[in-house]
Amino acid sequence: MEAAALPVRNQSGYYEIRLESIGGLGANLCGKMLGELGLHYLGLNSVSFSSYGSEKTGTPVKAYIRYCDMDKEIRVHSPVTQPHLLGIFHEALMTDSTILDGCRPETKIVINTEMDSREAVSTRNQSVMGTIYYVPAQRIAIETHSRINVVMLGAMAKVMGFVPLKALNEICEHALGRKYPDALAGNLEGIRRGYEEVTCGKEGTKDSEQAKEEQKKQCGEDREQGKQTQNVWGYETAPIGGINPRYGSSVISDLSPSRQGYIPVFIQERCINCGLCDSTCPDMVFQFQKGEYKGREMMVNRGLDYYHCKGCLRCVEVCPVQALVKGLEAEHPRKEWFVPNQELLRSPDYYEKAGPDGYITSESFLTEKRMEGGEV
């Protein structure tokens, strides 16, 4: 096998990839496939691993991949901090400024979005170094009866510039075809369309000369002095005693990207204020305050904090009077009874509406089969 020619390398001789995603979009599997792709089909030495907490839909997931020539060993197993390729699987992740950490003028950034590159970045008030590419991976996945991860795999491979489509088809048949043969045709079509429909945007919002100067200032001086760029939190910068100053981190997070198309819709006139919804809700969504109900003073349901609703719909199942019903989020852009939890400390500017996923209402979801406890 003739080895692929890596277009760029870092000072250690590696081509590095970082995937930013949330649970449920398949970034972990995509990272594994990229690792196997390099080793078995591109003639490269490779390594891949992922970083995630609970494997819950909507929780942060990162995957890291390194390539190098076959005659070189990979002795680095730390996270990728300065990627040559950055894949962003959900555009709502752009609300977090750390997603783009480590990007340089030569970094290629692939975003799953329907917007063009400039719009995708400008709506999130991000400053970007590198070249931005965008691909409507969710729409393609629905239309091809595949998944977002295979579409992103095709798009990223095209952007890398040294991965042929034939190799992608082979790794897909090896990794998915044997386990899910009924889904193979759709996955191959998703890879092909991602490969062909990824669109190159212009350079990031900073011009190249400015980006190079900032990169030189950020990294060049530290390298000359034998230092490495520090993360915000690390061994030397962690709070004394290892205290986590952001305990219960879901409190300051917008959980709306976790939703898969459905939300609980509150019908206030039906509510009997029994409190069962509040008891069963895992995310402090329901806002009960002192009020009057049928002439008696009691705690009354004032509404829902949709910032913290991840769409599990347990409240709909437990409500005895159907005061909470399942609704399509796409049909409720302006949510009634939306009452943010006033007891939680947060910066209003941090939260941005991510919009519904929509996949669960698609033909792709409705026709897929459940195999061994997972989705095809």
Side-chain angles (χ1 to χ4, degrees), residues 49-218:
F49 59 97
S50 299
S51 172
Y52 51 86
S54 60
E55 295 184 76
K56 180 184 74 174
T57 298
T59 53
V61 174
K62 299 176 185 287
Y64 309 103
I65 304 94
R66 286 186 173 92
Y67 292 152
C68 68
D69 295 332
M70 187 60 77
D71 58 357
K72 179 180 176 61
E73 293 185 5
I74 298 180
R75 295 183 175 272
V76 178
H77 301 282
S78 58
V80 172
T81 57
Q82 294 185 332
H84 296 101
L85 176 69
L86 175 63
I88 301 176
F89 279 53
H90 198 305
E91 67 184 58
L93 293 170
M94 296 289 288
T95 58
D96 183 356
S97 60
T98 64
I99 292 297
L100 298 170
D101 280 357
C103 289
R104 296 166 291 178
E106 62 268 28
T107 301
K108 296 181 178 180
I109 305 166
V110 181
I111 307 174
N112 167 24
T113 179
E114 291 277 356
M115 298 182 284
D116 68 30
S117 57
R118 290 275 182 172
E119 185 183 2
V121 173
S122 63
T123 56
R124 305 297 178 179
N125 297 318
Q126 294 282 27
S127 294
V128 182
M129 285 190 289
T131 304
I132 308 165
Y133 299 77
Y134 58 99
V135 59
Q138 180 170 294
R139 174 167 56 81
I140 293 174
I142 292 172
E143 293 174 354
T144 60
H145 294 224
S146 61
R147 299 304 303 274
I148 287 175
N149 57 350
V150 296
V151 181
M152 287 293 290
L153 177 64
M156 291 187 294
K158 177 64 175 293
V159 168
M160 283 191 278
F162 56 89
V163 182
L165 183 58
K166 180 181 177 182
L168 293 178
N169 292 336
E170 290 177 352
I171 187 63
C172 181
E173 292 177 6
H174 172 76
L176 302 176
R178 297 176 183 176
K179 192 172 183 180
Y180 307 121
D182 293 343
L184 179 59
N187 286 328
L188 291 175
E189 179 66 9
I191 286 177
R192 182 191 67 79
R193 288 191 56 184
Y195 194 88
E196 295 178 354
E197 296 182 28
V198 61
T199 304
C200 177
K202 298 181 180 179
E203 288 191 350
T205 55
K206 298 180 181 179
D207 62 62
S208 57
E209 291 302 320
Q210 180 186 359
K212 290 176 182 177
E213 287 299 320
E214 291 191 9
Q215 182 65 22
K216 180 179 179 181
K217 182 178 179 181
Q218 177 182 352

Side-chain angles (χ1 to χ4, degrees), residues 102-370:
C103 289
R104 296 166 291 178
E106 62 268 28
T107 301
K108 296 181 178 180
I109 305 166
V110 181
I111 307 174
N112 167 24
T113 179
E114 291 277 356
M115 298 182 284
D116 68 30
S117 57
R118 290 275 182 172
E119 185 183 2
V121 173
S122 63
T123 56
R124 305 297 178 179
N125 297 318
Q126 294 282 27
S127 294
V128 182
M129 285 190 289
T131 304
I132 308 165
Y133 299 77
Y134 58 99
V135 59
Q138 180 170 294
R139 174 167 56 81
I140 293 174
I142 292 172
E143 293 174 354
T144 60
H145 294 224
S146 61
R147 299 304 303 274
I148 287 175
N149 57 350
V150 296
V151 181
M152 287 293 290
L153 177 64
M156 291 187 294
K158 177 64 175 293
V159 168
M160 283 191 278
F162 56 89
V163 182
L165 183 58
K166 180 181 177 182
L168 293 178
N169 292 336
E170 290 177 352
I171 187 63
C172 181
E173 292 177 6
H174 172 76
L176 302 176
R178 297 176 183 176
K179 192 172 183 180
Y180 307 121
D182 293 343
L184 179 59
N187 286 328
L188 291 175
E189 179 66 9
I191 286 177
R192 182 191 67 79
R193 288 191 56 184
Y195 194 88
E196 295 178 354
E197 296 182 28
V198 61
T199 304
C200 177
K202 298 181 180 179
E203 288 191 350
T205 55
K206 298 180 181 179
D207 62 62
S208 57
E209 291 302 320
Q210 180 186 359
K212 290 176 182 177
E213 287 299 320
E214 291 191 9
Q215 182 65 22
K216 180 179 179 181
K217 182 178 179 181
Q218 177 182 352
C219 301
E221 295 176 358
D222 287 342
R223 283 203 196 101
E224 290 176 3
Q225 298 172 9
K227 300 178 181 179
Q228 293 184 354
T229 304
Q230 291 185 341
N231 293 323
V232 176
W233 295 112
Y235 176 77
E236 296 181 351
T237 57
I240 296 175
I243 298 172
N244 180 2
R246 301 177 74 179
Y247 57 88
S249 58
S250 63
V251 167
I252 61 171
S253 297
D254 180 358
L255 299 185
S256 59
S258 304
R259 296 197 288 265
Q260 295 288 300
Y262 292 119
I263 58 169
V265 177
F266 183 42
I267 305 175
Q268 197 273 341
E269 57 269 21
R270 296 181 183 176
C271 183
I272 59 175
N273 301 299
C274 64
L276 287 175
C277 55
D278 189 44
S279 298
T280 195
C281 177
D283 295 304
M284 302 183 295
V285 167
F286 294 92
Q287 306 305 303
F288 278 78
Q289 300 174 5
K290 287 185 178 181
E292 184 176 309
Y293 176 67
K294 292 186 176 181
R296 296 168 51 193
E297 183 178 345
M298 60 188 300
M299 298 299 288
V300 176
N301 191 351
R302 297 299 186 188
L304 294 76
D305 181 357
Y306 283 105
Y307 284 132
H308 289 90
C309 176
K310 63 175 179 283
C312 68
L313 301 180
R314 295 180 186 177
C315 55
V316 173
E317 297 175 4
V318 78
C319 182
V321 293
Q322 287 74 53
L324 291 159
V325 296
K326 180 172 69 173
L328 289 174
E329 184 167 8
E331 297 177 357
H332 298 274
R334 297 183 179 274
K335 301 175 180 59
E336 295 185 82
W337 309 104
F338 189 167
V339 181
N341 190 334
Q342 300 301 315
E343 297 180 1
L344 301 179
L345 299 178
R346 59 158 156 247
S347 169
D349 294 337
Y350 182 86
Y351 294 94
E352 297 188 25
K353 295 180 181 179
D357 187 323
Y359 173 73
I360 202 167
T361 63
S362 68
E363 181 183 359
S364 176
F365 178 86
L366 296 176
T367 57
E368 72 186 4
K369 297 179 180 179
R370 297 278 180 172

Side-chain angles (χ1 to χ4, degrees), residues 15-68:
Y15 180 91
E16 298 187 326
I17 304 169
R18 185 171 80 225
L19 308 182
E20 297 279 359
S21 182
I22 57 176
L25 300 185
N28 181 32
L29 176 59
C30 186
K32 292 179 180 178
M33 292 173 69
L34 282 169
E36 294 183 9
L37 177 71
L39 183 62
H40 296 297
Y41 300 96
L42 300 179
L44 300 171
N45 204 358
S46 66
V47 65
S48 67
F49 59 97
S50 299
S51 172
Y52 51 86
S54 60
E55 295 184 76
K56 180 184 74 174
T57 298
T59 53
V61 174
K62 299 176 185 287
Y64 309 103
I65 304 94
R66 286 186 173 92
Y67 292 152
C68 68

